[in-house]
Amino acid sequence: MLRGRSLSVTSLGGLPQWQVEELPVEELLLFEVAWEVTNKVGGIYTVIQTKAKTTADEWGDNYFLIGPYFEHNMKTQVEQCEPVNDAVRRAVDAMNKHGCQVHFGRWLIEGSPYVVLFDIGYSAWNLDRWKGDLWEACSVGIPYHDREANDMLIFGSLTAWFLKEVTDHADGKHVIAQFHEWQAGIGLILSRARKLPIATIFTTHATLLGRYLCAANIDFYNHLDKFNIDKEAGERQIYHRYCMERASVHCAHVFTTVSEITAIEAEHMLKRKPDVVTPNGLNVKKFSAVHEFQNLHAMYKARIQDFVRGHFYGKCLSFQPLCTLTEFALFLFIAGRYEFSNKGADIFLESLSRLNFLLRMHKSEVTVVVFFIMPAKTNNFNVETLKGQAVRKQLWDIAHSVKEKFGKKLYDALLRGEIPDMNNILDRDDITIMKRAIFSTQRQSLPPVTTHNMIDDSTDPILSTIRRIGLFNNRTDRVKVILHPEFLSSTSPLLPMDYEEFVRGCHLGVFPSYYEPWGYTPAECTVMGIPSVTTNLSGFGCFMQEHVADPTAYGIYIVDRRFRSPDDSCNQLTQFLYGFCKQSRRQRIIQRNRTERLSDLLDWRYLGRYYQHARHLTLSRAFPDKFHVELTSPPTTEGFKYPRPSSVPPSPSGSQASSPQSSDVEDEVEDERYDEEEEAERDRLNIKSPFSLSRVPHGKKKLHGEYKN
């Protein structure tokens, strides 16, 4: 009888280290089911896409992803091929023979995992029959007008059918199926109702009702244990979806979620405590040159500066950094779905108003340019914004034309052995052209706060708040605001940069979210070596608080939105931003180096072990006679801490001046005891130590927020 590998505990550096031995993958088949396989909708796409390489390397040809078929995605992302695995090939053939359309191929991402894609529309004629099957399985009915839920029913029914065909031809191999979010949950419910011999995992990345409640500005974390769940779901007309989600949670052998904060939420919303917390990671790529990411920051920062020069052309271009390329300009940004309160845009704008007051009061030379990259309804680019970029390009072309003429005359004079007369080297026409160019930069209006024409300009939350706090990009404002209501693209005529390039060019990402089950945006900043602001209500923020002794020293600013009032949290965020503005250039470089070193914490090569533990656990529950997991005590993440830097300054804020100023003087008096190589080596040794697997601690008292924030 095959025995599963057990968890073992060892000791390294005085810390308990939980290690999971490899599963016998040659005797198993692993399926991951999600609506976002090859279909980008939100963050789950990033989870699956980035994790694919690590999982495919471990499982090889025994790893498969299941998702919906969309023709445009199939043509651009999937290479069709024949299944190598006999059980999968038979399942695909059987379903195609019975009136379904199942596509198989390799997803053209890193790892090239196999994908099984179901054509939802092709099988829609079965909808009424499958509604009856769902009712018989769990007494959940789906309204005919909810098209999304009907699509999920078709998708789930096809998934359960496919898994049955696979298990019928598995030849003794055991099947693990992991289902992501309620959209994939029906496949799990039907598989369990039909008693298929599979080990099931259900992963929620955010509870359905939790997202709705937070979007309604309800005091969510303060009243987690007080909500009438059925009533709240019914009032929002999502009761059937909530029932599907809750049934999926309770049918699964193992229930996981992505963060401790979401685990607390799920326990109250879905009435089951998660068995394992599986943090989200990224497929981290290291540069062969240690400081290559710093070079990329400088390169992409220059491209952002070009855009800002055009946007603030004319007399409003009063801040020195954009003229002289010194380090007085700081680029901050917030990006993500346009959820004004959930994503923290409300508290961010209020803190920017207070930051503007502080910088003006201290007569700071620092100018903060803040980008809001949040998609909204627009009808075109703003004419004034396009004009600014045209003016900038015209000045650039004129400068290069005059430079070429100047260079040719200088070259000819030197060939003749003469020192040219600088008064005659530029003729009257050149001076006239330059004067006309200068006159063309005059503007009578302030630089626009948005790059596009907004359809709902008068009711837009960001623009309404900007009007209230008065951040209109006045010449005297030290904080300038630019709303870019479109996702970034390298083909844009306005700001031709991909999101990754833009992030690398900025100085700080600010994500003070109120509802953020994980938070990929600050995680992506960390991997690129860009400091970020997050909160203790985001999964990422909680993870960093748990694993980093001094997050601020490593460029992770964590705002307390759980136990502070909104005003106190806003003041804390303002102080974080003001402290960042006071850093010298050298301090920012040190901080970016430290931030980039944290990327190892977010690598799937390390975080993948949480998923491995969940698979061990589900096998032991689904097939207890063949697999067994032995734990001498519940594994937790407590105990491991990324150490506080011991070098001087301990934090880039440790030797700041009382007000923002040039870094030239500071660089001369900066404490030279900072040894980057020594600190980096110590961090590398710490991160190589395998940290513990996270299961939600049992019996631990849950604390809710003291204030709605």
Side-chain angles (χ1 to χ4, degrees):
M1 182 173 66
L2 176 67
R3 300 292 293 178
R5 278 59 170 174
S6 63
L7 291 172
S8 59
V9 64
T10 62
S11 179
L12 183 58
L15 296 176
Q17 309 296 331
W18 290 87
Q19 296 178 327
V20 183
E21 296 181 12
E22 293 182 0
L23 284 166
V25 295
E26 67 282 353
E27 302 164 17
L28 301 168
L29 295 176
L30 174 61
F31 295 89
E32 281 199 64
V33 187
W35 185 254
E36 297 196 29
V37 171
T38 75
N39 174 40
K40 186 169 186 178
V41 178
I44 301 172
Y45 177 91
T46 305
V47 175
I48 294 170
Q49 182 197 42
T50 57
K51 185 167 64 67
K53 184 181 187 321
T54 303
T55 312
D57 289 345
E58 178 186 354
W59 287 77
D61 290 340
N62 289 350
Y63 174 53
F64 305 88
L65 293 165
I66 298 176
Y69 168 82
F70 293 100
E71 184 178 5
H72 60 282
N73 291 338
M74 186 76 183
K75 287 181 177 179
T76 58
Q77 299 184 47
V78 180
E79 179 186 19
Q80 285 192 280
C81 63
E82 289 297 318
V84 176
N85 184 277
D86 185 62
V88 174
R89 179 180 55 78
R90 290 189 181 188
V92 171
D93 291 343
M95 292 182 69
N96 284 332
K97 287 178 182 177
H98 287 84
C100 300
Q101 197 167 82
V102 184
H103 300 266
F104 187 88
R106 283 192 179 274
W107 190 4
L108 299 179
I109 58 174
E110 286 193 86
S112 301
Y114 289 122
V115 290
V116 181
L117 305 177
F118 301 129
D119 191 325
I120 306 301
Y122 199 84
S123 300
W125 59 277
N126 289 302
L127 181 60
D128 290 337
R129 176 166 63 88
W130 285 339
K131 281 189 176 183
D133 292 344
L134 181 65
W135 179 261
E136 291 178 4
C138 60
S139 300
V140 175
I142 300 178
Y144 73 93
H145 57 77
D146 190 344
R147 180 171 179 177
E148 184 180 5
N150 286 323
D151 286 347
M152 301 312 154
L153 173 60
I154 299 171
F155 177 55
S157 300
L158 290 169
T159 300
W161 183 357
F162 176 79
L163 291 175
K164 182 184 184 306
E165 295 290 342
V166 169
T167 55
D168 287 346
H169 304 95
D171 294 332
K173 288 189 175 182
H174 295 84
V175 175
I176 303 174
Q178 180 168 4
F179 300 81
H180 293 268
E181 281 297 303
W182 72 273
Q183 291 97 329
I186 290 179
L188 189 155
I189 297 169
L190 295 175
S191 297
R192 293 285 281 155
R194 295 165 185 172
K195 299 182 179 179
L196 300 185
I198 62 175
T200 57
I201 304 171
F202 183 78
T203 300
T204 181
H205 298 257
T207 67
L208 188 63
L209 188 56
R211 193 176 290 280
Y212 272 83
L213 290 171
C214 285
N217 286 327
I218 287 178
D219 189 357
F220 183 64
Y221 292 99
N222 234 3
H223 295 85
L224 272 176
D225 54 349
K226 299 179 179 65
F227 288 118
N228 184 332
I229 304 299
D230 293 335
K231 175 177 175 291
E232 297 289 351
E235 288 179 348
R236 288 159 178 78
Q237 300 183 16
I238 57 166
Y239 187 70
H240 56 290
R241 296 189 182 192
Y242 166 73
C243 290
M244 291 157 55
E245 181 182 37
R246 185 166 169 178
S248 303
V249 167
H250 288 269
C251 285
H253 291 104
V254 169
F255 173 40
T256 74
T257 188
V258 297
S259 64
E260 296 285 353
I261 194 71
T262 311
I264 297 171
E265 173 191 342
E267 184 179 357
H268 289 89
M269 295 288 108
L270 301 173
K271 307 304 180 185
R272 180 178 176 181
K273 182 179 294 186
D275 300 289
V276 182
V277 171
T278 53
N280 290 335
L282 288 163
N283 190 17
V284 178
K285 295 179 182 176
K286 289 288 187 180
F287 294 104
S288 55
V290 177
H291 296 300
E292 179 61 24
F293 77 96
Q294 296 277 15
N295 299 332
L296 291 175
H297 167 71
M299 179 173 67
Y300 293 126
K301 181 177 69 174
R303 290 172 59 178
I304 297 175
Q305 285 175 330
D306 283 342
F307 167 79
V308 174
R309 283 194 183 95
H311 194 82
F312 294 96
Y313 76 91
K315 292 184 179 179
C316 292
L317 190 66
S318 63
F319 40 105
Q320 191 177 5
L322 305 179
C323 301
T324 61
L325 291 181
T326 63
E327 55 276 352
F328 291 105
L330 298 177
F331 299 137
L332 279 58
F333 79 99
I334 181 173
R337 288 188 301 273
Y338 200 142
E339 297 178 10
F340 185 65
S341 298
N342 280 0
K343 295 299 182 184
D346 51 354
I347 189 176
F348 186 29
L349 280 166
E350 183 61 39
S351 66
L352 289 177
S353 176
R354 301 180 187 187
L355 175 66
N356 188 48
F357 171 77
L358 288 175
L359 293 176
R360 291 174 63 179
M361 183 179 68
H362 289 288
K363 295 181 172 52
S364 169
E365 293 181 334
V366 170
T367 296
V368 178
V369 182
V370 184
F371 293 87
F372 286 77
I373 312 295
M374 306 181 89
K377 292 181 180 179
T378 64
N379 55 26
N380 212 331
F381 292 112
N382 186 301
V383 173
E384 187 64 23
T385 303
L386 290 173
K387 179 184 175 182
Q389 300 307 313
V391 168
R392 179 195 62 80
K393 187 176 185 305
Q394 179 191 33
L395 292 176
W396 177 262
D397 292 341
I398 290 173
H400 273 260
S401 174
V402 172
K403 183 183 74 172
E404 287 182 5
K405 291 178 67 175
F406 179 94
K408 187 175 185 303
K409 290 181 179 179
L410 177 62
Y411 176 66
D412 290 340
L414 293 175
L415 282 178
R416 294 193 300 269
E418 301 174 357
I419 299 296
D421 184 356
M422 292 302 174
N423 294 321
N424 299 324
I425 202 164
L426 291 178
D427 55 34
R428 182 172 297 179
D429 288 342
D430 294 330
I431 295 174
T432 301
I433 290 173
M434 289 189 289
K435 285 182 178 180
R436 289 178 59 185
I438 292 172
F439 289 161
S440 71
T441 64
Q442 297 180 13
R443 70 195 311 173
Q444 303 303 319
S445 60
L446 293 173
V449 295
T450 177
T451 58
H452 292 62
N453 294 323
M454 305 287 287
I455 290 179
D456 299 321
D457 183 288
S458 60
T459 59
D460 182 80
I462 291 179
L463 294 181
S464 297
T465 306
I466 288 174
R467 295 185 190 105
R468 178 177 61 81
I469 62 180
L471 280 181
F472 296 121
N473 293 336
N474 284 301
R475 180 168 185 166
T476 56
D477 286 333
R478 305 324 305 157
V479 175
K480 316 285 186 180
V481 178
I482 302 174
L483 170 60
H484 188 281
E486 251 185 20
F487 284 131
L488 296 168
S489 170
S490 59
T491 59
S492 169
L494 196 63
L495 183 56
M497 299 181 73
D498 288 330
Y499 178 72
E500 179 180 340
E501 297 171 346
F502 177 80
V503 172
R504 287 191 182 277
C506 287
H507 294 92
L508 181 71
V510 185
F511 315 101
S513 305
Y514 181 73
Y515 186 79
E516 193 72 79
W518 175 248
Y520 257 119
T521 42
E524 289 167 340
C525 286
T526 303
V527 168
M528 297 181 211
I530 302 300
S532 62
V533 176
T534 183
T535 73
N536 59 354
L537 289 180
S538 75
F540 174 81
C542 294
F543 181 82
M544 284 300 174
Q545 274 187 323
E546 194 169 10
H547 290 93
V548 182
D550 184 7
T552 302
Y554 283 88
I556 309 295
Y557 299 89
I558 302 175
V559 177
D560 185 358
R561 297 202 65 181
R562 190 175 178 188
F563 303 112
R564 291 192 181 197
S565 69
D567 190 61
D568 287 344
S569 297
C570 189
N571 284 332
Q572 185 185 25
L573 176 56
T574 304
Q575 289 304 314
F576 281 155
L577 298 179
Y578 185 62
F580 188 82
C581 291
K582 292 198 300 183
Q583 291 182 13
S584 68
R585 182 173 179 271
R586 182 173 186 270
Q587 288 170 332
R588 292 198 301 270
I589 291 173
I590 292 173
Q591 191 177 56
R592 281 198 296 272
N593 286 334
R594 291 174 177 169
T595 302
E596 196 271 341
R597 289 202 297 273
L598 288 183
S599 61
D600 285 334
L601 269 178
L602 303 171
D603 197 328
W604 276 121
R605 289 175 296 174
Y606 296 93
L607 296 183
R609 69 189 70 192
Y610 291 93
Y611 279 82
Q612 193 177 6
H613 173 49
R615 293 167 195 145
H616 266 96
L617 198 58
T618 192
L619 284 171
S620 69
R621 292 180 179 178
F623 310 109
D625 57 330
K626 300 208 173 186
F627 296 91
H628 183 60
V629 176
E630 297 176 355
L631 287 172
T632 56
S633 62
T636 70
T637 52
E638 295 176 0
F640 176 83
K641 282 279 190 181
Y642 215 71
R644 188 174 190 270
S646 58
S647 57
V648 178
S651 165
S653 62
S655 60
Q656 290 169 349
S658 59
S659 62
Q661 56 179 299
S662 168
S663 65
D664 296 338
V665 177
E666 287 184 311
D667 286 347
E668 296 176 4
V669 299
E670 194 77 66
D671 195 314
E672 295 299 334
R673 285 181 288 165
Y674 170 73
D675 190 329
E676 182 185 334
E677 292 185 3
E678 179 184 340
E679 186 178 291
E681 181 60 28
R682 184 168 57 254
D683 285 346
R684 278 192 291 270
L685 291 175
N686 276 289
I687 191 58
K688 285 179 181 178
S689 305
F691 49 86
S692 58
L693 295 171
S694 173
R695 185 187 293 186
V696 178
H698 292 273
K700 186 176 180 180
K701 184 178 179 182
K702 299 298 188 297
L703 298 175
H704 305 312
E706 296 177 356
Y707 302 95
K708 160 62 180 167
N709 206 339

